[in-house]
Amino acid sequence: TKEKSRTESTESGLSDTADVSFEHSIAHEDYILSHDGPLIPRRLNPIQSCCGKIVMAVTFRKAVISSILTCSILMGIATFDFVKKNDEIRRWFETLDLSFLILFTLELALQFGYHGLRLFKDSWLTFDFFVILLSWTLIHYPIQIIRAFRIIRTLRIITRIKALRDLVQALINVVPRLVAIFLLLLLVFYVFAVMFTNLFGELYEEGYTNVDYFSRLDTTAFTLFRIMLLDQWAEITIQCMDKYPWAWIPLFIFVMFTSFIVINLIIAVICDAVAQVQTNKIENKIDKLGRQEQTHPQQEQTEIAELKEKIEELSQVIKVLAAKVLNDDDLRSRPLPSGSRKRYL
């Protein structure tokens, strides 16, 4: 009976956490493993229950992260000549890579056994699924393509560390604002590209510049991209000033607007999104504490009533004992409260 109740409590515990993040601390609160998994069925069959116990275990999560990191390190080591030029070592590395892929596939199968088709309602688990599927697909392609794209499996580490997931989620949340900023930047690029092509398009033919910077619209756009990144923008400006001494003015305006204003605006939007994620986490914790306080008032009142009853019994016991010490027959004749002799004496 005890074993049955323990099993039922375990399954109900898995079901009760359906709407809550599964979070387990590794060694420090800054490194958290979690899965905001899809809704879990209220009734778990034995297979789901077994798979759930495995995939939600802290030890299993640590093992998966260690495997991803180890596989990534081995892929980096495999790029050195002592691996590529030695057939035996290269085959050993390829065998290890295939072993890790099989391990990741088994982990995904356990996730599927636990969540079922609800797995595809979770964006992170869906990302894991397509990464593993892509890895198996690339096996049928030439070895160079496999080596180039199998490193994508390293991105699965994002789905395992909550700090990285929060950062990615923040970037996704600001996509609409970033699109607006990029449209503004594209408009500025087009205006200045047309302007500089008309102003400085003949400088290369006349020998004022050693590279063709502004002869066509696409060439000018690429040059402006380099200038925005502050790549040789001073050298380009000086060459343009050989013919037009005032050339530094439009170039300076472009640099100020793109390199300092627009880029910093993008950084500010991303920082605001990250701060908003942290604010939401704090608000969720406060709401959770508030709900917990609202669910326990009856229990607190019951405990207070029990404490008052015990205080009353203890007061009567003290009076009886005091009467015995003072030889007060009236108080000494009073009986002790029921059960208090064993409790207090």
Side-chain angles (χ1 to χ4, degrees), residues 118-156:
R118 294 175 181 266
L119 178 141
F120 296 102
K121 294 184 178 181
D122 186 296
S123 57
W124 300 107
L125 293 176
T126 304
F127 176 78
D128 282 354
F129 173 81
F130 282 107
V131 168
I132 298 300
L133 181 63
L134 178 63
S135 299
W136 282 109
T137 304
L138 291 176
I139 291 182
H140 303 288
Y141 286 85
I143 190 66
Q144 292 84 0
I145 299 179
I146 297 175
R147 291 173 180 172
F149 286 96
R150 64 186 178 183
I151 193 62
I152 295 176
R153 293 204 299 267
T154 306
L155 297 177
R156 296 183 69 235

Side-chain angles (χ1 to χ4, degrees), residues 97 103 106 115 139 163 203 216 219 241 261-262 264 276 307:
D97 181 74
L103 177 64
L106 292 176
H115 298 289
I139 291 182
L203 293 182
R216 296 199 318 266
T219 306
M241 290 174 61
I261 297 178
V262 176
N264 286 313
Q276 186 62 40
L307 289 175

